Every structure is written in C-alpha cells, then in structure tokens.
C-alpha cells in the first residue's frame, strides 16, 4: 500500500468515526454532511469520495460491528453451544449500547417499515442479523455442536425476535430498560432450554 492509498483509508476511517460520534450524540436527522466534514477537518466534497450519503455511515455500522463477534463464535472450540451463543448475544448488546440509542432508533425505524424506506436508507438490517445468526446455527450443526434435525430457521427467528424486542424496549423506555441485563436473563433462563433438545452437551 502506497502513501496515497494509506491516507485515503485514514480519511475514510476518520469520516466514519466522526459520523458515528455525531449520530450517536445528536441523531441522524439532526446532523448534516457538512457537520461531519467540519468535525473531521476535511472539505465537504471529500465526504462524497467515500460515501454517497450520511445514511451510509449507519449502514456500515450495522454491518461491520457484528462481524468480529461472529468470528469469535466460530473460532471458539472450548465452550458449549449455549455458552458460545450467550457470549455472542452479550457482545451484540454491548455493541448496540456502545453506539447508543439514536443509532438503534435509526436501525429499528427502517426495519419496522421497510416498504416505506427509500433507496437512501437501509431497510435490511433485520435480514442481515437474521442471516448471520442462521449461518452460526448451521455452522454449529455442521460442526456437530447441534443435531442434524435442529430446526435452525425456527430457532433463528425465536431468538432474533428476543434480541430485537430488547432493543425496541430500550428505545421505548428512553434507556431505562437495559438490554444487556435482559439478554443475560434470556440466556440464563431460556436459551439453554431452547437448545437442550438439539445438543448432547447441554445439561
């Protein structure tokens, strides 16, 4: 990588990080591209070299932030499937809360009414998160952690509705409801019960 390519990556990363901070603090509708570029210390036109619109920053956030914790799940060869999923869900909620309630509201607003979402926004976070969990469960079946008759599609939707329900309750309560606390309760009380019929490791 030459110096010019390195500088371009650093500029893009700075814009992304600055946009994330501003959206987290103020909400997407309350900031402009110019707010982002001013805070990042670059010309307004520079933004459009890397992104088409400010919504692209939210789009990237809702994808990239979960890939590392998915990879941790796949590489974990020590814990049973229930513990691995509990770790994934806890870190999922940590990331959600780290980016803040304004970002989460942007995700949920678009997911709730996908038919009304314009091409400038992302209506597919639900599908993305669901597909990631489904792939993880299918990996566990292939890896022998879950039985071959495991209804991965059904389990995916049962579990993902719990995750999204917690995020929605967090947003509706103005942060009084703590999704990280509740995801731990879900994993302790329900997750092992849901998975037990399909795993020999879970007692």
């Amino acid at each position: 990588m030459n110096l010019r390519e390195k500088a371009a990556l650093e500029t893009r990363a700075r814009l992304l990080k600055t946009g994330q901070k501003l959206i987290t603090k103020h909400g997407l509708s309350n900031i402009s591209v110019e707010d982002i570029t001013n805070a990042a210390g670059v010309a307004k036109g520079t933004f459009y070299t890397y992104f088409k619109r400010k919504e692209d920053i939210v789009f990237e956030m809702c994808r990239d932030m979960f890939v590392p914790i998915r990879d941790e799940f796949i590489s974990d060869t020590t814990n049973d499937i229930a513990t691995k999923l509990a770790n994934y869900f806890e870190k999922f909620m940590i990331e959600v809360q780290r980016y803040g309630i304004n970002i989460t509201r942007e995700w949920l607003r678009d997911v709730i009414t996908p038919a009304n979402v314009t091409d400038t926004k992302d209506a597919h976070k639900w599908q993305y998160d669901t597909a990631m969990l489904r792939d993880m469960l299918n990996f566990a079946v292939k890896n022998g952690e879950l039985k071959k008759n495991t209804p991965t599609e059904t389990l995916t939707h049962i579990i993902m509705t719990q995750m999204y329900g917690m995020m929605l309750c967090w947003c509706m309560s103005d942060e009084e409801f703590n999704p990280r606390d509740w995801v731990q309760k879900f994993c302790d009380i329900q997750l092992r019960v849901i998975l037990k019929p399909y795993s020999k490791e879970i007692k």
Side-chain angles (χ1 to χ4, degrees):
M1 181 185 299
N2 60 41
L3 291 176
R4 186 175 181 179
E5 290 171 333
K6 184 177 180 181
L9 287 176
E10 289 173 352
T11 299
R12 187 181 190 281
R14 186 162 71 253
L15 285 166
L16 186 60
K17 185 175 181 179
T18 302
Q20 289 171 352
K21 286 182 178 179
L22 290 175
I23 296 166
T24 297
K25 184 176 182 180
H26 302 292
L28 183 67
S29 61
N30 296 318
I31 66 166
S32 65
V33 168
E34 192 169 7
D35 291 331
I36 296 171
T37 55
N38 286 343
V42 301
K44 184 176 180 180
T46 303
F47 181 92
Y48 297 103
T49 302
Y50 305 100
F51 307 102
K52 291 182 179 179
R53 55 193 75 88
K54 64 181 181 179
E55 287 84 1
D56 289 348
I57 291 175
V58 178
F59 178 89
E60 283 209 27
M61 291 168 64
C62 75
R63 300 296 190 265
D64 296 345
M65 63 193 285
F66 299 114
V67 172
I69 57 176
R70 186 276 315 276
D71 292 346
E72 284 183 35
F73 170 90
I74 291 173
S75 62
D76 185 350
T77 58
T78 304
N79 292 306
D80 66 26
I81 184 63
T83 303
K84 288 171 61 174
L85 284 172
N87 290 338
Y88 172 80
F89 296 135
E90 181 181 11
K91 290 173 182 175
F92 181 105
M93 285 305 179
I94 288 172
E95 288 298 301
V96 167
Q97 289 186 275
R98 181 168 70 90
Y99 279 104
I101 199 167
N102 285 323
I103 294 292
T104 306
R105 283 172 171 158
E106 291 295 334
W107 290 334
L108 294 179
R109 184 180 295 115
D110 297 339
V111 167
I112 288 170
T113 56
N116 297 330
V117 174
T118 67
D119 63 0
T120 64
K121 302 188 78 176
D122 177 24
H124 304 292
K125 178 168 169 54
W126 164 264
Q127 290 89 334
Y128 177 85
D129 289 339
T130 301
M132 181 173 283
L133 178 57
R134 183 190 304 112
D135 290 346
M136 290 163 59
L137 293 176
N138 286 332
F139 173 84
V141 171
K142 185 177 180 181
N143 206 35
E145 298 171 271
L146 290 172
K147 297 176 182 178
K148 290 183 178 180
N149 67 337
T150 300
T152 56
E153 188 70 22
T154 300
L155 294 182
T156 295
H157 282 86
I158 288 173
I159 294 169
M160 195 52 65
T161 53
Q162 292 287 333
M163 298 299 106
Y164 267 70
M166 292 174 202
M167 289 192 288
L168 183 60
C169 288
W170 184 48
C171 292
M172 292 190 302
S173 71
D174 269 341
E175 300 185 275
E176 289 184 18
F177 178 95
N178 189 321
R180 185 178 176 188
D181 290 345
W182 281 95
V183 80
Q184 290 175 338
K185 290 181 174 69
F186 165 72
C187 291
D188 291 343
I189 298 170
Q190 292 180 279
L191 185 61
R192 286 187 173 272
V193 174
I194 292 170
L195 295 174
K196 188 175 180 180
Y198 311 107
S199 173
K200 295 178 182 177
E201 297 179 344
I202 299 175
K203 306 299 182 184

